[in-house]
Amino acid sequence: MPTSAERLRVAVYAFDGVTMFHLAVPQLVFDEVARQGLGTWETVLFSDRAGTVRTAEGYRMSGVRGPAAAEDADVVVVPSWYGDGRAIGPTLRRALHRAHTRGATVAGLCLGAVAVVDAGLLSGRTAVTHWEAVDALAARHPDVAVDPSVLYIDHGDVLTSAGTASAIDACLHVVRTRLGAAAANQVARHLVVAPHREGGQAQYIDRPIASRPSDDPISRVLEWALSHLDESLTVERLAAAAHMSRRTFIRAFQASTGTTPAAWIRSRRLDEARRMLESTDLPVEQVAAACGFGNAVTLRQNFASAFATSPSEYRRRFDTRGASA
């Protein structure tokens, strides 16, 4: 019998004027779970009324279900929103409230965050949306802290994401949360997208960055660091590996990755820790050492801060060693 994490029903809101890309992202990611045999995940489209929806590109999509389709969904997604930023209508507001009340996850991707915030599901909390809509959303809802600097924010019950491609990151985050890092990596690999971008990464870089050659020093340092995670990776050591001064290296690193060297190293160490917890029976102390955390206490502290769980509990949930048996 599949576990509750392996069975998932996703209802995606469709409306006249939605772009095909935004509508397709959650279906593409979540349906890939089923295509890869990782779980019985199903997506359905719904709208304020059953029938046909016309996309921004002019396509007519028939067979869209009515709001009742969201009543038994585990995840309800608003993948985008109207370009004029209109307020949420009563039908969708009611559907989101009902879903949230019965324990479903509600996700507003890109401008879809506007509808989720309008529904009152994030009062007193933080949200993110496409950077162009940040100021308008913050002015409209002063009770919500709108963060313009991140890719996505997950409160457990409500998830919002920044613009366009960040929706892919947020959907992969849902896969990772429910099925583990190995499953999310497999889905990402088959979709040929980055397997993991942290929600706290910047959603855009202020100044355009020229295309970097394959022998770019930052690219070389990133690759080198991944094979030395068990060692001390101070900024000074990374800068030396890049043959740069400390100040120049930090500036170039942030321009290239949108984050700091310390945050990037910590995230990669946590990635490796999750991989080892899923695929090996090594004691937590050894996992900590192999990933560069030094000791189990430091690993547990970082793990709890990032994932709100312990390494041992994570292993119990996502141990893949018997998956092929």
Side-chain angles (χ1 to χ4, degrees):
M1 290 286 291
T3 67
S4 58
E6 292 170 337
R7 298 185 64 87
L8 197 79
R9 181 177 172 83
V10 182
V12 182
Y13 182 72
F15 57 91
D16 286 332
V18 66
T19 68
M20 290 294 294
F21 177 85
H22 290 99
L23 195 59
V25 164
Q27 298 177 86
L28 182 68
V29 175
F30 298 143
D31 287 352
E32 189 66 24
V33 171
R35 286 190 288 268
Q36 293 300 317
L38 299 169
T40 308
W41 287 30
E42 174 193 9
T43 59
V44 297
L45 297 181
F46 78 99
S47 193
D48 292 339
R49 62 185 64 83
T52 301
V53 165
R54 184 181 179 87
T55 71
E57 296 80 6
Y59 300 112
R60 289 190 177 276
M61 303 188 65
S62 61
V64 176
R65 303 184 189 184
E71 291 181 357
D72 62 349
D74 303 291
V75 179
V76 178
V77 180
V78 184
S80 186
W81 196 238
Y82 298 93
D84 60 9
R86 68 188 66 176
I88 189 175
T91 302
L92 179 59
R93 179 190 293 270
R94 187 162 48 248
L96 296 184
H97 269 279
R98 287 178 175 173
H100 185 256
T101 298
R102 62 179 171 76
T105 297
V106 175
L109 307 179
C110 193
L111 291 179
V114 173
V116 172
V117 173
D118 271 356
L121 302 184
L122 285 170
S123 180
R125 296 197 281 180
T126 54
V128 61
T129 187
H130 190 286
W131 61 271
E132 288 186 323
V134 164
D135 291 341
L137 185 59
R140 185 150 129 189
H141 293 281
D143 59 326
V144 176
V146 184
D147 188 344
S149 66
V150 297
L151 296 180
Y152 55 86
I153 298 173
D154 183 14
H155 291 285
D157 57 331
V158 182
L159 170 73
T160 54
S161 82
T164 315
S166 302
I168 299 176
D169 298 304
C171 290
L172 284 171
H173 169 74
V174 172
V175 177
R176 187 178 305 106
T177 299
R178 293 176 178 263
L179 296 176
N185 289 348
Q186 183 172 334
V187 169
R189 188 163 54 247
H190 281 267
L191 297 180
V192 197
V193 296
H196 189 198
R197 291 202 297 170
E198 293 285 354
Q201 284 187 225
Q203 63 167 296
Y204 68 96
I205 298 172
D206 290 332
R207 293 175 297 173
I209 304 299
S211 298
R212 292 184 173 275
S214 59
D215 63 346
D216 169 69
I218 298 299
S219 299
R220 289 200 309 269
V221 166
L222 296 181
E223 184 176 353
W224 173 83
L226 290 175
S227 62
H228 293 79
L229 290 176
D230 59 329
E231 302 173 16
S232 174
L233 295 175
T234 62
V235 172
E236 288 74 17
R237 189 177 182 199
L238 294 171
H243 304 291
M244 293 179 176
S245 70
R246 187 180 192 277
R247 178 178 297 180
T248 299
F249 173 75
I250 292 174
R251 185 166 58 246
F253 192 97
Q254 290 182 312
S256 180
T257 66
T259 189
T260 65
W264 189 89
I265 291 295
R266 181 171 59 252
S267 294
R268 301 295 74 75
R269 283 174 167 158
L270 286 168
D271 284 345
E272 179 62 10
R274 288 192 293 183
R275 186 196 68 77
M276 294 182 70
L277 290 167
E278 291 179 15
S279 60
T280 77
D281 60 358
L282 290 174
V284 172
E285 190 73 39
Q286 291 186 30
V287 171
C291 298
F293 285 110
N295 58 68
V297 172
T298 302
L299 172 59
R300 290 189 183 101
Q301 290 172 342
N302 281 271
F303 215 86
S305 176
F307 311 124
T309 190
S310 68
S312 297
E313 178 59 28
Y314 184 89
R315 171 173 273 163
R316 279 192 289 271
R317 289 183 61 197
F318 298 122
D319 191 333
T320 62
R321 285 171 291 157
S324 61

